[in-house]
Amino acid sequence: IATSKPAGLSIRKFEKPEVSLIIPAYNAKDYISRSIDSALASDFANLEIIIVNDGSTDDTQKVIDWYAKNYGNVVSIQKENGGVADTRNVGIESAKGEYIAFMDNDDLIRPNMISSLYSSITKNNCDVAIAPLYRITNSGYSIHCDLPFMEDIPHDIDKYLEIMYTPGYYNCAIWNKLYRASMVKAHPLGKLKYEDVSWTPCILSYAEKFCFLKTPFYEWDRKTRPETFGDVLAKQSEDDLF
């Protein structure tokens, strides 16, 4: 875990959430609880946490059920196995917030991630808010996606798309961002091989403005499951990536 201040879980009660955090889950009984805990430690009051179980064959649902029973802002959804894009789409359909964020079931978020991105996206009337992230490995952590934009002001989305695949700035991650829900609901994730890499530039092409914060909030954990689509992509040539 990257350097972080202590945080505690809290129970939220609200009539309508302002942000929906969607967590797709699959056979994650051994580590999903810490991911949910980090979401529950958020300092953003009106946060809905939607956990979609993609047909897990282990006891993942038992863990989710405990949280849904004890925390009023945790929503549990079960579905047949269909892959992470299909699972996120189910979460998107049920999301009640005006903004949507995504999180993987083995990662962590900082307590002030949602509140910071929400403050910037609403202040600047943007379609998406973006921040750097931590990549966690056995040897420590490094900061990724620290982009060369002025902080907390609106930018044209074309400026982001221009450098999206530039070495050093490469950033197709779905989860270090906060999106306007109406935009996401209008353009669901395609069921493609590399869901994040395929969907992120697509959804951003429908945005007009984005804002950027220079503080990393998301902890992308590569210790728990070292081999992921991101690692596979990193080994491919530029032609294959294209």
Side-chain angles (χ1 to χ4, degrees):
I1 300 175
T3 55
S4 178
K5 296 179 180 179
L9 309 189
S10 59
I11 297 176
R12 315 292 190 187
K13 293 183 179 180
F14 48 76
E15 292 184 1
K16 185 181 186 302
E18 294 173 350
V19 174
S20 298
L21 176 64
I22 298 169
I23 307 175
Y26 180 71
N27 288 355
K29 69 178 181 65
D30 293 331
Y31 45 80
I32 192 174
S33 59
R34 66 173 198 151
S35 299
I36 301 172
D37 284 350
S38 76
L40 286 168
S42 172
D43 63 9
F44 188 77
N46 293 332
L47 177 65
E48 173 186 49
I49 302 170
I50 302 174
I51 310 169
V52 186
N53 184 359
D54 186 28
S56 295
T57 57
D58 63 0
D59 288 334
T60 294
Q61 189 58 44
K62 290 183 179 179
V63 178
I64 298 171
D65 286 343
W66 185 90
Y67 282 97
K69 178 181 177 180
N70 288 280
Y71 293 90
N73 64 325
V74 173
V75 178
S76 171
I77 300 175
Q78 298 185 60
K79 60 180 285 295
E80 293 184 0
N81 183 260
V84 66
D86 182 57
T87 305
R88 286 175 178 148
N89 282 339
V90 170
I92 290 169
E93 290 175 5
S94 66
K96 297 181 176 65
E98 295 182 13
Y99 298 91
I100 286 176
F102 299 95
M103 179 182 180
D104 278 356
N105 63 192
D106 57 343
D107 292 338
L108 303 170
I109 62 171
R110 297 302 177 87
N112 60 337
M113 172 178 164
I114 301 297
S115 60
S116 299
L117 293 177
Y118 178 84
S119 176
S120 185
I121 201 172
T122 53
K123 166 190 167 184
N124 295 295
N125 191 27
C126 291
D127 300 300
V128 60
I130 304 169
L133 55 87
Y134 291 107
R135 185 178 188 272
I136 315 296
T137 65
N138 288 325
S139 60
Y141 65 89
S142 54
I143 296 175
H144 290 246
C145 311
D146 189 4
L147 307 176
F149 297 115
M150 292 185 64
E151 191 172 25
D152 199 20
I153 64 170
H155 300 277
D156 289 337
I157 197 65
D158 285 349
K159 295 183 180 298
Y160 181 83
L161 296 173
E162 285 173 1
I163 70 164
M164 194 171 193
Y165 295 101
T166 303
Y169 298 132
Y170 179 81
N171 178 218
C172 286
I174 193 174
W175 12 252
N176 62 329
K177 302 172 177 68
L178 182 65
Y179 310 83
R180 192 184 299 276
S182 58
M183 180 180 69
V184 173
K185 286 177 176 288
H187 307 285
L189 280 77
K191 299 177 184 178
L192 304 172
K193 187 173 183 180
Y194 303 119
E195 290 89 350
D196 296 12
V197 177
S198 305
W199 183 77
T200 304
C202 178
I203 195 64
L204 294 184
S205 71
Y206 293 102
E208 293 184 3
K209 301 287 184 181
F210 77 97
C211 46
F212 181 73
L213 299 178
K214 292 186 176 296
T215 303
F217 299 112
Y218 192 92
E219 299 190 9
W220 178 31
D221 187 349
R222 296 282 51 84
K223 302 192 311 298
T224 303
R225 294 182 303 147
E227 186 69 10
T228 66
F229 279 151
D231 296 295
V232 172
L233 286 173
K235 299 173 184 176
Q236 292 186 348
S237 69
E238 290 186 5
D239 288 341
D240 288 339
L241 288 171
F242 181 79

